[in-house]
Amino acid sequence: MKRILTGVIATTALLGGIASAPAYASPAGGNAPGRHCVVAPGPSTTCYDTFREAIRQATGGRVTEAPSDPAVALASAEFARDINASGLASDGRAPVSSIEYENPNHNPATLTFALGACGSDDSWDYGLSDIDGVDPAWDDRISSYQGYNGCQVNHYEAPGYRGDRTGYRNSQKDMGSMNNKTSSLRWR
Ligand SMILES: [Ca+2]
Ligand SMILES: [Ca+2]
């Protein structure tokens, strides 16, 4: 099933079975650089002061002891195991699909997409056609990323999955020519 996040139009029909995910409040001016933001189905974006709190919220309280430094978390096999294991729970909450980072090498500000796990085939599972719809502060800002729960991520230069792209990958510490260009994304 494909789920499309337009950023401005979100209906329960579009979101199917994950519409029952816990409600996340909309940000109230919480998109300043340096924050740790979580995108849940809806879509809704909520930002937190610390990476640990963002991960706690993104995993529905299942991962409470994430390292406070995102780069340290990304280097931790235990953290990856915890994030993937948290996606196995069938409580209606969407598992973490990927974590996107402001700078290369997985730091310091983060944007966690908790849209769901990904299937094993080559068709895409989730799409965000314009990152402005969830957080304009993140347009042309992503510089590294890591997929979880079976997800590979494709990053596109322009809205609507157009322009240059990274191709579907599980992780990049350095996005090369796509550094600071992402305006739309797909997960598979
Ligand atoms: Ca950047
Ligand atoms: Ca762009």
Side-chain angles (χ1 to χ4, degrees):
M1 177 189 301
K2 299 188 191 321
R3 299 187 178 103
I4 303 171
L5 300 180
T6 64
V8 283
I9 301 169
T11 68
T12 53
L14 276 176
L15 292 165
I18 50 177
S20 60
Y24 286 75
S26 296
N31 293 334
R35 302 293 296 275
H36 299 276
C37 301
V38 177
V39 180
S44 68
T45 309
T46 310
C47 299
Y48 305 92
D49 286 336
T50 67
F51 182 66
R52 176 175 290 182
E53 179 62 12
I55 293 301
R56 191 177 76 81
Q57 295 289 340
T59 60
R62 295 179 189 279
V63 179
T64 59
E65 300 296 322
S68 55
D69 182 339
V72 171
L74 259 290
S76 165
E78 183 183 4
F79 177 77
R81 273 199 309 273
D82 287 349
I83 292 294
N84 289 328
S86 73
L88 298 176
S90 57
D91 59 0
R93 184 191 47 74
V96 171
S97 316
S98 73
I99 304 178
E100 314 285 323
Y101 299 83
E102 177 186 21
N103 287 355
N105 297 309
H106 303 139
N107 64 65
T110 61
L111 181 63
T112 296
F113 285 96
L115 304 177
C118 294
S120 57
D121 59 21
D122 284 345
S123 62
W124 56 277
D125 298 289
Y126 313 100
L128 175 61
S129 62
D130 190 344
I131 202 168
D132 282 352
V134 298
D135 192 341
W138 277 91
D139 188 35
D140 295 342
R141 186 177 172 199
I142 294 170
S143 294
S144 56
Y145 60 93
Q146 173 72 48
Y148 292 96
N149 291 295
C151 293
Q152 296 180 317
V153 197
N154 204 345
H155 299 70
Y156 303 83
E157 176 185 13
Y161 320 115
R162 290 180 292 107
D164 286 346
R165 61 203 62 190
T166 59
Y168 284 98
R169 296 166 182 260
N170 183 246
S171 178
Q172 280 190 286
K173 288 184 177 179
D174 181 337
M175 295 173 69
S177 63
M178 275 296 292
N179 186 45
N180 293 334
K181 287 185 177 177
T182 297
S183 294
S184 57
L185 305 91
R186 272 177 171 160
W187 293 259
R188 77 172 187 190

